[in-house]
Amino acid sequence: MRHTISVLVENKFGVLSRIAGLFSGRGFNIESLSVAESLDPKVSRMTVVTRGDDKVIEQVTKQLNKLVDVIKVIDHTEEKFVDRELALIKVNAEPQLREEILRITEIFRGKVVDVSPKTYTVEVTGDEEKVDAFIEMVKPLGVKEIARTGRIAMSRGSKALTT
Amino acid sequence: MKKTGAEIFIECLTKEGVQVIFGYPGGAVLPLYDILFKTHIRHILVRHEQGAVHAADGYARATGKVGVCLVTSGPGATNTVTGIATAYMDSIPIVVFTGQVPTAMIGNDAFQEADIVGITRPCTKHSYLVKDANNLATVIREAFYIASTGKPGPVLVDIPKDVMTASAAFKYPEKVHVRGYQPTYEGHIGQIKKVADAMAMSQKPLLFIGGGIISSSASNELLELSEATHIPVTTTLMGLGGFPSNHPLSLGMCGMHGTYTSNMSLTNTDLIIGIGARFDDRVTGKVDEFAAGAKVIHIDIDPTSIGKNVIAHIPIVGDAKDILKKLISMIKKEKVNWKKKHHEWLTQIEEWKGKHPIAYKQSKKVIKPQFVIEQIYEVTKGDAIITTEVGQNQMWTAQYYKFKKPRTLITSGGLGTMGYGFPAAIGAQVAFPNKIIFDIAGDGSIQMNIQELATAVQYRLPVKVAILNNCFLGMVRQWQELFYDRRYSYTCLESHPDFVKLAEAYGAVGLRAEHPDDVKKVLKEAIKTPKPVLIDFIVDREENVYPMVPAGAPISKMLLV
């Protein structure tokens, strides 16, 4: 089963490699990983999407907790949470396609963030399904490049993940 | 007050109570060595950095204190990796200081530069690269704290040369707080009550103990619990010494080369009370068939150990000593006639003990390696500290030396590092100059760190080494004999130095025994000699370690003598 795990870590050099090394060294897989500063600049927040049975996920969370630089770990899969991803998609935009792309972008509440004579770069945010669906829609028109942030997630309700 | 990094280093080590450092100098640690020259802290100069880490590790295992090691950058640092991994697998508290090229040169492939923090990341409990002398004191304080608390382990501190010479304000941090590191010591009382209830219900309980009993100094509590409840005790290799081997409730070691009684008890028990053991593959054999009918209690300070290999029905995270104390006070309130309840079980166990005790076929012509170990036990009256190398020598030691007290067996259990025993013996001898320290070695493994003979001679450390010399890499040969149709592919060591002359060349004493009648005589002479002694025991070449559970088989399927 797929799990979305948020991890608060000390914002120090080498922490990312400790986490990545833990996953590779123990044969856990990483489907996506996103990292950035949290509210407290001394703390980074990571979102890891991983896959495994209960036993593997138990080890993943325990091993993460065991790292000295890891402050908190929560597995969102056991609760209600929201998740989002942002993608930039560079699509072929020959004159005859432009209107179609704009229409699809509007349906997905995306934004054209860059224009060139032959391309549009579209920003789409949403859960993975939505981003996937957008990409599927524009693929026949010719996608030149995509960049996705990977999933970020947060628990629903007033509960906050802080140090 | 302003101090240099090097001065801060020494101040902090002094505050931590460090009495001895095992090390090897080099360019990037010159400022630290320069100040060491003027201090009271003892420094043991080894002959290879691997020896320094193993010696620090042996010192730590013998004393329970943190072992300290100091080496230079680059190759000095990379030579410590095997030693660090050894300590990591066995949860031994050591702090390894490595010199590093100056901060401005890091990343430039400078002379003797290695990313040692990166290289050792998977085999350290934690590691630091100190980029600012102002952080040095806090880092050293944290390093010792992290190494020695919770589940102990090795911590590496990498110090660039310019940080050693930079000056910084020094204030020793009395308190240490690492927000991401808060080990659980106190066991959950509700869970402990469940254990007491399970024990009261069980007909065939078994205490299964590992190295955690020793690192938590809980052997007295274990003995009290076992005696109060008449529950027998089996131990892992790392648990040997945690419970007296000569006690009637002791079943000896379990697992691949464990006793018949231990393995049969583990297979037939209805309640495993696992304490400070991680249920590794050398213990469980085929894990699906391991203790299939048993309820499993797993007590460990490391939450990741629990449920990793074997499902725990009652998990408890915490310190073994704390949990055992609480458990004992609960047990005392139970109205159970333990002796009567376990009578049938203990009768069965006695039958197993009688049926297949640990045994070998004695010879009058050739020295049996097991006999050498029995004789070492006799002449040392079981009071020595024993280190081992890895392979047959290690397993025979585990089987035939009756360890009575914790910290008397020093062996590389998890990583299985050949070349460990001799430098570890040096570390133990530094800690206990008046004790008899024996390294039980093979002719293969002793040559992996034989250069440390010079260290032993230089510091007048009268370590004894018993080489069980069969001119083979014996354990690998045994596997080839049993599972590869006797194809002894590169396991025959056809050329050896003359170990007696070699010892003499180093300024140590060399002895040899080729006949069973000589064994005791030679051992007595070695013990009398106030110098390092290397004894070459020419033993039966193709003797095997039995019982043996073939890899991947259930532990009840043992090859017996």
Side-chain angles (χ1 to χ4, degrees), chain B residues 209-230:
Chain B
I209 66 143
I213 287 288
I214 291 162
S215 47
S216 123
S217 306
S219 41
N220 289 338
E221 287 75 11
L222 173 70
L223 183 63
E224 190 181 344
L225 179 70
S226 166
E227 287 185 338
T229 55
H230 296 264

Side-chain angles (χ1 to χ4, degrees), chain B residues 188-264:
Chain B
H188 189 279
I189 203 82
Q191 292 293 90
I192 300 173
K193 181 76 182 82
K194 282 189 198 164
V195 174
D197 292 346
M199 285 167 74
M201 296 290 289
S202 160
Q203 297 307 306
K204 298 185 286 183
L206 180 62
L207 281 154
F208 162 65
I209 66 143
I213 287 288
I214 291 162
S215 47
S216 123
S217 306
S219 41
N220 289 338
E221 287 75 11
L222 173 70
L223 183 63
E224 190 181 344
L225 179 70
S226 166
E227 287 185 338
T229 55
H230 296 264
I231 298 181
V233 180
T234 181
T235 84
T236 67
L237 176 67
M238 296 303 296
L240 285 173
F243 190 79
S245 299
N246 50 359
H247 194 283
L249 287 164
S250 168
L251 311 185
M253 185 174 73
C254 58
M256 184 172 271
H257 295 292
T259 62
Y260 179 79
T261 313
S262 281
N263 287 0
M264 292 308 284

Side-chain angles (χ1 to χ4, degrees), chain A residues 102-116:
Chain A
L102 287 175
R103 208 164 23 237
I104 298 170
T105 304
E106 198 173 323
I107 293 169
F108 282 83
R109 292 193 186 84
K111 243 193 289 181
V112 176
V113 291
D114 187 55
V115 185
S116 78

Side-chain angles (χ1 to χ4, degrees), chain B residues 295-416:
Chain B
K295 196 172 200 176
V296 175
I297 293 162
H298 195 170
I299 297 167
D300 205 293
I301 197 151
D302 175 12
T304 67
S305 282
I306 298 176
K308 184 165 59 183
N309 301 325
V310 169
I311 293 165
H313 302 99
I314 310 177
I316 310 182
V317 177
D319 175 48
K321 196 182 182 84
D322 172 78
I323 293 166
L324 279 171
K325 276 185 177 167
K326 288 174 180 157
L327 185 56
I328 290 164
S329 70
M330 281 183 198
I331 289 295
K332 283 185 176 160
K333 287 176 205 149
E334 299 268 355
K335 289 190 176 57
V336 177
N337 184 339
W338 299 96
K339 194 175 180 181
K340 198 172 149 203
K341 179 161 84 79
H342 299 156
H343 177 74
E344 202 176 318
W345 175 230
L346 291 172
T347 309
Q348 168 71 73
I349 282 169
E350 282 310 309
E351 197 186 306
W352 285 326
K353 276 189 184 176
K355 199 167 156 195
H356 293 294
I358 286 282
Y360 64 97
K361 291 191 187 81
Q362 180 56 296
S363 160
K364 284 193 171 141
K365 286 188 192 135
V366 52
I367 300 175
K368 291 286 183 175
Q370 300 94 327
F371 176 66
V372 175
I373 291 159
E374 284 180 335
Q375 292 300 304
I376 294 175
Y377 178 76
E378 292 256 315
V379 298
T380 61
K381 302 181 184 73
D383 288 332
I385 293 178
I386 304 290
T387 73
T388 78
E389 303 294 337
V390 167
Q392 290 183 318
N393 59 79
Q394 181 184 33
M395 290 298 109
W396 284 319
T397 303
Q399 293 176 335
Y400 289 92
Y401 198 94
K402 305 290 170 216
F403 295 95
K404 293 182 285 194
K405 288 184 192 144
R407 304 193 180 282
T408 53
L409 170 63
I410 295 178
T411 191
S412 167
L415 196 66

Side-chain angles (χ1 to χ4, degrees), chain A residues 24-125:
Chain A
S24 63
R26 295 194 178 267
F28 305 144
N29 73 36
I30 300 182
E31 292 196 357
S32 77
L33 173 67
S34 84
V35 196
E37 212 173 271
S38 72
L39 197 57
D40 173 355
K42 286 183 177 164
V43 176
S44 297
R45 179 172 179 137
M46 293 190 183
T47 314
V48 189
V49 178
T50 183
R51 197 179 278 278
D53 59 22
D54 289 354
K55 198 179 158 193
V56 169
I57 298 300
E58 185 186 327
Q59 273 297 310
V60 169
T61 52
K62 281 178 170 180
Q63 293 285 356
L64 282 170
N65 267 311
K66 193 173 166 180
L67 294 176
V68 171
D69 285 334
V70 168
I71 303 162
K72 247 180 209 170
V73 179
I74 58 165
D75 181 355
H76 294 291
T77 318
E78 292 155 11
E79 51 162 30
K80 288 197 167 128
F81 69 103
V82 284
D83 66 279
R84 287 293 179 271
E85 187 179 10
L86 185 147
L88 295 174
I89 301 114
K90 193 174 281 184
V91 198
N92 270 332
E94 303 290 340
Q96 71 276 17
L97 297 174
R98 292 199 167 210
E99 203 150 317
E100 173 69 358
I101 295 169
L102 287 175
R103 208 164 23 237
I104 298 170
T105 304
E106 198 173 323
I107 293 169
F108 282 83
R109 292 193 186 84
K111 243 193 289 181
V112 176
V113 291
D114 187 55
V115 185
S116 78
K118 288 186 174 170
T119 59
Y120 276 162
T121 299
V122 182
E123 172 199 312
V124 178
T125 56

Side-chain angles (χ1 to χ4, degrees), chain B residues 6 45 55 125 139 167 203 259 283 290 315 317 325 329 364 368 396 417 469 474 486 492 526 546 550 561:
Chain B
L45 175 66
K125 185 172 172 186
V139 165
S167 75
Q203 297 307 306
T259 62
V283 161
F290 176 76
V317 177
K325 276 185 177 167
S329 70
K364 284 193 171 141
K368 291 286 183 175
W396 284 319
T417 309
N469 185 349
R486 294 183 74 101
C492 181
Y546 291 119
V561 182

